[in-house]
Amino acid sequence: MTDQAKFSLDDDSVAVIIGSGAGGATLANELAQRGIKSVVLEAGKHYTQADFENDEWAMFNKISWLDKRISAGGWHHTQTYPNLPAWIVKGVGGSTVHWSGVALRFQEHDFHTRTTYGAVDGANVLDWPITLSELEPYYELAEKKMGVCGTKASGLPPMPPNNHYKVIEAGAKKVGYKNIVRPAASNSEPYDGRPGCMQLGFCMQGCKIGAKWSTLYTEVPRAQATGNMELRPECMVLQIEHDKSGRATGVLYVDGKGRKQLQKARIVCVAGNSIESPRLLLNSASSLFPNGLANSSGQVGRNYMNHATAAAVAIHKKPVYMYRGFDIAAVVADEVPLDTRRGFVGGYYLEGLAIHLPYTAAFMKPGGWGRDFASAMEMYDHMTCVWVCGEDLAREQNSITLHPTEKDQYGLPVPIVTKTYHENDDRITAHGLQQWRKLSEAVGATRVIDMPAYPASHNMGTNRMSEKAADGVVNRWGQTHDVKNLFVSDGSQFTSSSAANPTLTIVALAIRQAEYIASAMQRKEL
Amino acid sequence: MKLNPFKPAGQAANDASPGHEPAMRVLDKAPRVQRRGFLRGSGLGAIGVVVLPAAPALSKEAARALTADQSFTHLGKHAGRTLVRMARDIYPHDKLPDKFYVQAEAPYDGLAKKDAALKKLLVEGLQDLDQRARKQHGTPYLQVKAESDRVALLRGIESTPFFKKIQGDLVTGLYNNKELWPLFGYEGSSWQKGGYLHRGFDDLDWL
């Protein structure tokens, strides 16, 4: 960090990027490689691999975004996780420190759900202004960059099957599933200067050896090494400022010492995740933008999606030790293709996702106790565990709003995360849990326990992409419809959620956006 | 293959015989109770009290009371014993020695000293529980003999802040205690051992 570039606060030639996760850091590095200078403001601390512990609660307390947020709406989080609607990271690297490494592409119809599904009652479904074929070349680049094993782009062999994989795969095959994958952005062998996976089994606590892709030790240092990027950790952005013509001019933030600073900017890119990004735009309301910056559509903070999810454990007659090895086991992809005969639109993945003993106790049945609970815990070593990851439909009322009176440590209104499941979401999760039960019983599971959804780690929507300025917040390049030099570079620009985990698509979009920004700058459009 | 009856099954299964793949690395989840260690572990050694070898073995109940008693100097013995009994009723793992439940509950004693609101919550919660037990069974909670009766009493207070506090804290107080992990077949931190790459990440042998 000492040898990185330093830019002055008055330097209005820099791009200011807010957030250093999958979107922000990828964008910063792609711009830096093209000679474009940027300042990356990161709200959290700069941890390194030396800080990582193979310990679930220790790492939860160390890296999670624990600033107060309020869960509202009809979901169970209001009871189970009232102040923790989302489970993401506050630190350099953002949630790429915590992510499990599942790297899946969207399907063709995910980009035109409105056309495919028609109008869905109670939902606000819209087509993306881009298609899969437009994004495909960038998926290739993203897979290569991230080292997604088992892809042509990376050339890496698939991650070897661990015990957890073997049980789920065998069950899946017995119930007739055929498309069983393991799409991991982790090195199955040494790649890109980082080691091969040692099967530590603590991927979501930060990969101690750096085998799993994270912007913390890939995009961030590489961007710094070009001399074109300055990272400023522990800098919480308060507001984006603009001039009379409505052009973004700079970013007001609080630094690690509590001082307010104003960094001037040529362009501003927001990549703080689907809660912080719209929150910032709403907090940047002015006389020119009374409903929040870039919010002429009223869609900023709307259409919050976090996947239709549920989880379950299955207890087998013999040991599995699901925690041994890479966190992601077999991923069943057979329920993903569109098939409305199941009673819902969209599809889902059954993702084997190992959790360790302390988290199993916490998440298996929040608030649960007694012999029923304890006897299941005693079979921890015999468990397999699934996470159902299904398409979540955009709904206007699912939203990020600002609390009218309550403020956080930075003096900003506390965000309220409101979510109520659509009937379609409930049908997806019910179907997924039923299929998991069948699959598990097919290999002799004696007990299957359904779990509620975890706090949301996939956060999408809230600044969505749209063809028309009236329907969404950003255009096909992630550029806000209202403010030409203001971009959204994270998952908040998603128009639909797909069933796929979002990170690969966030990275693909960031690479594509960097290309656009660089060429627009060359054309003097920005 | 004939199993050696004196070897634990896990160990026998790990024997690599010619022509056979080495079998799955199975962990032994049985608690290893060392009697002397157990008595010493109750804290007597630490405060210089000599346990005479000739002394009659403490009954399970007496040993439990002893460990709880020593940990609750502020809230008192009865509160300590009741909290430990409650903890075992909430997450009953018959094979776990009491010390794990004591370890999970003991921090309350120090915390209550500094936090008046917490002390009030605990003292009043325990009083309420005892009152309910007396009404139903004529004795305080601790003396209610049948587990099912005690569980029924706990069900009665399950939505109270007192119960939620005890149950919620136990989730980490108990299951995040590294000492008990081996008893659940969980091995914890692995990076310092090179992960599981050469320690059974793919040795499943029963499908």
Side-chain angles (χ1 to χ4, degrees):
Chain A
M1 240 187 81
T2 45
D3 57 352
Q4 71 171 355
K6 292 258 185 251
F7 299 108
S8 98
L9 291 168
D10 292 333
D11 187 343
D12 60 3
S13 73
V14 296
V16 175
I17 298 171
I18 301 157
S20 63
T26 302
L27 178 68
N29 188 28
E30 290 290 321
L31 291 179
Q33 302 300 332
R34 291 171 171 83
I36 297 166
K37 301 188 185 325
S38 71
V39 172
V40 174
L41 300 172
E42 166 55 53
K45 293 181 177 163
H46 197 166
Y47 294 107
T48 67
Q49 283 155 267
D51 299 310
F52 293 170
E53 298 170 60
N54 280 194
D55 183 315
E56 290 183 311
W57 283 121
M59 285 308 289
F60 177 88
N61 289 317
K62 196 179 271 188
I63 63 173
S64 298
W65 191 291
L66 297 174
D67 297 353
K68 189 171 178 186
R69 289 162 166 180
I70 298 164
S71 302
W75 59 345
H76 72 85
H77 289 47
T78 55
Q79 302 300 317
T80 42
Y81 315 113
N83 297 123
L84 191 75
W87 185 2
I88 58 172
V89 171
K90 185 177 183 179
V92 175
S95 297
T96 67
V97 173
H98 159 91
W99 80 309
S100 63
V102 174
L104 290 160
R105 293 187 184 196
F106 276 30
Q107 315 163 85
E108 179 61 42
H109 82 265
D110 289 332
F111 292 93
H112 38 86
T113 46
R114 177 67 179 80
T115 307
T116 311
Y117 305 160
V120 180
D121 272 352
N124 189 22
V125 179
L126 186 74
D127 289 350
W128 292 61
I130 58 172
T131 61
L132 176 62
S133 60
E134 274 178 85
L135 205 56
E136 258 164 358
Y138 300 96
Y139 272 138
E140 291 281 327
L141 292 170
E143 285 169 353
K144 190 175 177 198
K145 178 193 281 290
M146 299 159 84
V148 181
C149 57
T151 62
K152 210 162 69 181
S154 75
L156 284 167
M159 189 67 79
N162 64 347
N163 290 342
H164 196 200
Y165 180 100
K166 290 175 184 176
V167 179
I168 297 173
E169 185 202 34
K173 283 186 173 163
K174 284 205 168 166
V175 297
Y177 285 138
K178 293 183 176 69
N179 193 9
I180 300 145
V181 294
R182 203 181 190 198
S186 186
N187 294 346
S188 50
E189 53 188 44
Y191 179 82
D192 200 26
R194 293 178 291 115
C197 175
M198 297 285 289
Q199 308 290 339
L200 303 186
F202 285 88
C203 315
M204 289 173 65
Q205 282 62 49
C207 180
K208 183 81 181 161
I209 61 169
K212 182 192 76 174
W213 180 82
S214 168
T215 58
L216 174 63
Y217 39 76
T218 58
E219 310 306 308
V220 167
R222 285 169 194 191
Q224 285 174 307
T226 63
N228 292 326
M229 188 273 259
E230 180 186 351
L231 172 72
R232 296 183 197 159
E234 294 181 73
C235 290
M236 178 71 186
V237 176
L238 307 174
Q239 206 167 15
I240 298 166
E241 302 210 332
H242 63 80
D243 62 17
K244 281 180 196 158
S245 71
R247 191 185 152 84
T249 52
V251 171
L252 183 69
Y253 66 94
V254 187
D255 71 13
K257 291 180 180 148
R259 297 172 304 199
K260 274 192 189 174
Q261 309 280 11
L262 177 66
Q263 173 65 53
K264 295 246 170 90
R266 177 174 176 182
I267 64 165
V268 176
C269 306
V270 184
N273 82 53
S274 284
I275 298 175
E276 291 305 310
S277 291
R279 181 193 188 199
L280 174 59
L281 297 181
L282 295 173
N283 274 328
S284 301
S286 65
S287 52
L288 196 59
F289 300 103
N291 299 320
L293 198 56
N295 195 22
S296 65
S297 64
Q299 294 291 308
V300 169
R302 301 280 175 185
N303 312 304
Y304 171 63
M305 301 174 285
N306 51 18
H307 277 143
T309 81
V313 293
I315 299 173
H316 294 269
K317 290 181 199 130
K318 294 196 175 173
V320 180
Y321 303 111
M322 67 168 158
Y323 60 86
R324 288 183 189 165
F326 191 69
D327 278 355
I328 287 294
V331 173
V332 178
D334 289 78
E335 299 285 359
V336 177
L338 186 65
D339 173 10
T340 48
R341 287 170 304 179
R342 294 169 301 181
F344 50 84
V345 297
Y348 65 87
Y349 289 94
L350 289 175
E351 302 185 352
L353 172 62
I355 49 174
H356 292 247
L357 181 101
Y359 275 180
T360 306
F363 296 114
M364 185 170 70
K365 198 181 174 200
W369 61 278
R371 285 217 171 255
D372 184 49
F373 182 95
S375 66
M377 286 303 297
E378 290 194 1
M379 299 302 282
Y380 172 73
D381 54 349
H382 287 53
M383 283 179 186
T384 54
C385 185
V386 76
W387 190 56
V388 180
C389 186
E391 173 154 4
D392 182 9
L393 296 181
R395 312 186 81 192
E396 264 202 322
Q397 61 269 51
N398 290 341
S399 63
I400 311 304
T401 51
L402 306 178
H403 195 280
T405 52
E406 203 175 335
K407 302 267 166 60
D408 69 7
Q409 71 269 40
Y410 307 105
L412 298 171
V414 170
I416 302 170
V417 181
T418 303
K419 169 106 194 207
T420 303
Y421 299 124
H422 189 277
E423 196 186 357
N424 197 71
D425 305 343
D426 292 331
R427 287 183 181 169
I428 285 182
T429 51
H431 195 271
L433 290 174
Q434 185 192 20
Q435 291 304 103
W436 167 255
R437 190 173 287 268
K438 274 190 209 161
L439 174 166
S440 301
E441 285 170 355
V443 276
T446 49
R447 192 171 166 193
V448 179
I449 301 165
D450 293 347
M451 295 157 66
Y454 303 125
S457 44
H458 295 175
N459 297 284
M460 296 161 287
T462 72
N463 286 315
R464 74 177 180 186
M465 207 182 259
S466 65
E467 190 67 58
K468 293 184 207 146
D471 295 336
V473 181
V474 300
N475 68 12
R476 57 193 292 104
W477 307 110
Q479 181 177 31
T480 62
H481 287 297
D482 300 349
V483 181
K484 204 175 176 188
N485 66 337
L486 175 64
F487 291 79
V488 172
S489 315
D490 59 14
S492 71
Q493 63 187 313
F494 285 20
T495 313
S496 68
S497 73
S498 160
N501 303 46
T503 307
L504 183 74
T505 303
I506 294 173
V507 173
L509 286 171
I511 299 170
R512 181 173 168 273
Q513 188 180 66
E515 213 176 85
Y516 172 76
I517 289 173
S519 64
M521 279 180 169
Q522 244 171 8
R523 293 192 303 269
K524 309 278 184 221
E525 287 171 17
L526 284 173
Chain B
M1 189 177 80
K2 218 176 167 185
L3 284 178
N4 178 346
F6 298 106
K7 268 188 176 176
Q11 228 172 300
N14 276 338
D15 282 350
S17 43
H20 288 86
E21 287 287 310
M24 194 171 182
R25 184 166 67 90
V26 178
L27 302 176
D28 181 5
K29 297 198 285 181
R32 291 171 209 290
V33 181
Q34 293 159 339
R35 251 185 61 80
R36 287 177 58 88
F38 178 64
L39 288 176
R40 212 177 276 133
S42 68
L44 288 174
I47 53 169
V49 177
V50 178
V51 181
L52 295 174
L58 289 169
S59 72
K60 238 184 169 178
E61 284 300 319
R64 176 180 301 139
L66 201 61
T67 51
D69 290 356
Q70 288 172 347
S71 305
F72 290 85
T73 54
H74 184 65
L75 289 171
K77 291 176 190 177
H78 180 72
R81 290 180 196 181
T82 307
L83 285 168
V84 170
R85 180 70 265 172
M86 258 185 92
R88 195 180 267 288
D89 289 336
I90 291 172
Y91 293 122
H93 295 289
D94 300 328
K95 66 179 173 182
L96 288 191
D98 263 349
K99 68 168 183 178
F100 294 114
Y101 294 97
V102 175
Q103 281 172 19
E105 298 303 306
Y108 283 133
D109 199 61
L111 291 171
K113 237 185 266 184
K114 288 177 265 173
D115 183 344
L118 174 68
K119 185 173 175 180
K120 186 167 182 279
L121 182 80
L122 295 174
V123 170
E124 289 178 2
L126 288 166
Q127 273 169 1
D128 172 49
L129 182 61
D130 274 344
Q131 215 164 21
R132 287 163 183 256
R134 280 200 193 90
K135 205 169 156 192
Q136 297 243 343
H137 306 284
T139 65
Y141 176 80
L142 196 57
Q143 267 85 52
V144 175
K145 288 229 161 54
E147 182 183 317
S148 55
D149 290 336
R150 292 194 304 274
V151 167
L153 287 166
L154 293 180
R155 289 277 171 221
I157 61 162
E158 145 178 82
S159 59
T160 64
F162 165 68
F163 181 87
K164 283 185 172 175
K165 172 85 182 147
I166 304 293
Q167 181 266 329
D169 290 347
L170 260 177
V171 172
T172 45
L174 192 65
Y175 298 108
N176 203 36
N177 185 340
K178 292 182 171 64
E179 245 190 287
L180 65 67
W181 288 349
L183 305 181
F184 288 80
Y186 175 58
E187 294 163 274
S189 181
S190 84
W191 70 270
Q192 70 282 21
K193 297 174 186 166
Y196 292 100
L197 188 59
H198 306 293
R199 296 190 308 122
F201 85 100
D202 62 349
D203 64 352
L204 193 96
D205 63 357
W206 55 262
L207 276 172

